[in-house]
Amino acid sequence: MLAILGFITVVALLAVVMSKKLSPTAALIAVPLVTGIIASFFIANEEGSVLVWENIKALSGYITGAGGIGSVAATGVMFIFSILFFSVLKDAGMFRPIIGGIIKVIGQDPVKITLGTALLAMIVHLDGSGAVTFLICIPALLPLYDAMHMKRTTLACVAAMAAGVMNIMPWGGPTIRAATAMGVDVMVLFKPLILPVIIGLAAVFVFAFLMGRAEKKAQKASGEAFVYKEEPLTDEQQALLRPKLFWVNILLTIAAIAALLFSGFAPAVIFMIAFVLAMVINYPSPKLQGEIVNAHAAEALMMASVLFAAGAFTGIMKGTGMIDAMAKALVQVIPTSMGRYFPVITGVVGMPASLLFDPDSFYYGVLPILAKTAESFGVSGLSIARAAVLGQMTTGFPVSPLTAATFLLTGLSGVELGEHQKRTIPRAFLLTLIMLAAALLLGAVEI
């Protein structure tokens, strides 16, 4: 019953978000809360007793505990202060010359812009952090997309695809988890996947090209010639510009990014410090500081509320045991006659499974069971693991409601979660299938 409730929870969440029946914040809280209460009638304690009221009261702890809001608290703080930090730099005018420079490099052709977006996201994601990738790429490119009247969903989708494939790198979380769960060296797991991953990266450029071409056709169909021009500023915006501090702000941004990549400090701490420095350097007046924070607080808090709601969703799913039950059910429904095809099945369901399981639950809970079952049919457990990392929380992580990076991406780009998922999930799924087919043909995944 818990497994059924778990699947109902995920399907209902996606349905109400994509259909815009509820906001993501409301859906992430309301849907698991309802199913969590229903689950309370089926959760037995160690003595075998079902204490419904005690189970319902436990939901509060699941929501606020380490598996729930506690797991995203630091990310929420980072989210708030990163938005405030980049907002201060935007007010100070730092991004205007940068966009002008980008225009000179990649031009004003939507195709070149989407290809450049994919390349930038791939390079930045070399550190393996989706949060860092989106924090760097989205604020820098969003003004360009807006100026060229290109869809923000295109920006979010291209960045998500590029980061998703790059997340398969051997230092990425999913690959490390898979290697750990299988008890093998991470490079033993990853090396056979090098060519399939390269093919996946090439496919990202193809998707980016096609999306850029669609944007270009839409521009031509409109009959307007969209040329990037700096938007005229209001008197209030003009007063906030700090052109003399441009290079100071650039150095501050570089220092913040370098600290994210190499310092070992928590991202939340880095952005708290960076925000304070940006505010004090550009706007030393306490009154003006308060006005600027007030101007951007609504956006920061609105996005953070979605993140904390996601923590509530994850906490209830884990705490009630629905995720564990789903994992067991997923394995049991696969017919034994399909045993030799376990790698293919795992690869196909990997990306959609990102919507159901967080990476720890999948790689430490589901993967070992799948691998052990496959080995009983003479199929290598490594093939199962390699097939899994081609989609589960790699191409799937930037669309999953279980990852903070998804909400960071949609928040920074100003795209609704449902719109982002509708545009990105089919392409991310196809990327997984392309890499899986390549892995099968090249022998990286065997059946």
Side-chain angles (χ1 to χ4, degrees):
M1 187 63 189
L2 289 178
I4 295 174
L5 285 171
F7 289 116
I8 290 174
T9 302
V10 174
V11 172
L13 175 68
L14 294 175
V16 297
V17 170
M18 288 186 176
S19 64
K20 300 182 181 180
K21 299 296 184 182
L22 288 175
S23 69
T25 303
L28 286 163
I29 295 172
V31 173
L33 192 58
V34 171
T35 54
I37 292 173
I38 297 173
S40 298
F41 290 86
F42 302 95
I43 301 173
N45 59 21
E46 295 180 357
E47 288 75 31
S49 302
V50 178
L51 305 176
V52 176
W53 181 240
E54 294 299 321
N55 290 336
I56 292 176
K57 288 195 297 183
L59 294 177
S60 174
Y62 299 151
I63 292 172
T64 59
I69 292 176
S71 67
V72 299
T75 305
V77 174
M78 179 199 72
F79 202 5
I80 292 172
F81 283 97
S82 65
I83 290 176
L84 292 176
F85 172 65
F86 286 114
S87 295
V88 169
L89 297 180
K90 181 180 179 182
D91 287 343
M94 189 192 82
F95 290 109
R96 294 171 72 82
I98 291 175
I99 298 304
I102 293 174
I103 287 291
K104 290 180 181 179
V105 174
I106 63 177
Q108 302 184 49
D109 184 343
V111 173
K112 292 180 180 179
I113 291 173
T114 53
L115 290 173
T117 300
L119 180 61
L120 178 61
M122 289 175 188
I123 293 172
V124 176
H125 200 76
L126 281 170
D127 78 319
S129 171
V132 172
T133 300
F134 301 143
L135 283 166
I136 294 174
C137 295
I138 304 304
L141 294 173
L142 186 60
L144 176 59
Y145 273 72
D146 286 345
M148 296 302 297
H149 292 216
M150 296 172 65
K151 296 184 181 69
R152 291 185 172 194
T153 51
T154 298
L155 169 59
C157 181
V158 173
M161 289 190 295
V165 176
M166 286 298 292
N167 212 36
I168 304 173
M169 292 296 124
W171 50 86
T175 307
I176 291 175
R177 286 182 177 90
T180 302
M182 297 303 298
V184 299
D185 183 88
V186 68
M187 289 310 298
V188 172
L189 178 69
F190 176 74
K191 277 185 179 179
L193 291 176
I194 291 176
L195 282 178
V197 168
I198 291 174
I199 291 171
L201 293 174
V204 171
F205 282 117
V206 172
F207 280 124
F209 172 82
L210 294 174
M211 295 176 76
R213 191 172 66 175
E215 293 281 0
K216 193 172 184 177
K217 287 182 178 179
Q219 287 185 358
K220 289 182 178 179
S222 69
E224 299 181 50
F226 294 111
V227 179
Y228 173 70
K229 295 179 181 178
E230 289 189 337
E231 292 291 333
L233 300 177
T234 64
D235 292 340
E236 291 80 4
Q237 291 172 326
Q238 193 74 38
L240 293 176
L241 293 180
R242 297 294 184 267
K244 293 181 180 180
L245 294 175
F246 174 76
W247 286 108
V248 174
N249 288 326
I250 288 290
L251 290 174
L252 178 58
T253 304
I254 293 173
I257 293 171
L260 281 171
L261 298 177
F262 307 114
S263 72
F265 285 96
V269 174
I270 291 170
F271 276 110
M272 290 174 74
I273 295 172
F275 163 69
V276 171
L277 290 175
M279 185 68 84
V280 171
I281 290 171
N282 289 279
Y283 309 109
S285 166
K287 180 181 178 182
L288 189 54
Q289 290 175 6
E291 293 175 355
I292 290 173
V293 170
N294 286 336
H296 301 292
E299 178 187 4
L301 290 176
M302 181 180 68
M303 292 301 106
S305 69
V306 178
L307 188 61
F308 290 128
F313 174 83
T314 304
I316 293 175
M317 294 291 286
K318 286 184 177 180
T320 57
M322 282 191 273
I323 284 185
D324 288 341
M326 291 161 68
K328 294 175 182 177
L330 189 63
V331 174
Q332 291 173 355
V333 297
I334 300 175
T336 55
S337 60
M338 299 291 289
R340 63 170 297 208
Y341 298 107
F342 264 29
V344 176
I345 296 171
T346 302
V348 170
V349 304
M351 183 268 148
S354 300
L355 304 173
L356 306 175
F357 304 103
D358 64 282
D360 288 336
S361 297
F362 183 87
Y363 286 107
Y364 298 136
V366 179
L367 180 59
I369 299 173
L370 288 173
K372 186 175 180 180
T373 305
E375 287 171 354
S376 68
F377 291 95
V379 178
S380 169
L382 281 177
S383 288
I384 298 291
R386 289 177 186 139
V389 299
L390 294 177
Q392 211 286 330
M393 283 300 173
T394 50
T395 59
F397 95 86
V399 296
S400 173
L402 300 174
T403 62
T406 298
F407 298 102
L408 193 61
L409 172 60
T410 57
L412 291 172
S413 58
V415 175
E416 291 186 2
L417 176 62
E419 291 299 315
H420 170 60
Q421 289 177 324
K422 282 193 289 187
R423 191 167 178 81
T424 306
I425 285 176
R427 293 173 173 84
F429 188 41
L430 187 54
L431 278 173
T432 289
L433 297 181
I434 290 170
M435 290 188 289
L436 178 62
L440 288 167
L441 290 173
L442 295 169
V445 173
E446 299 176 344
I447 57 174

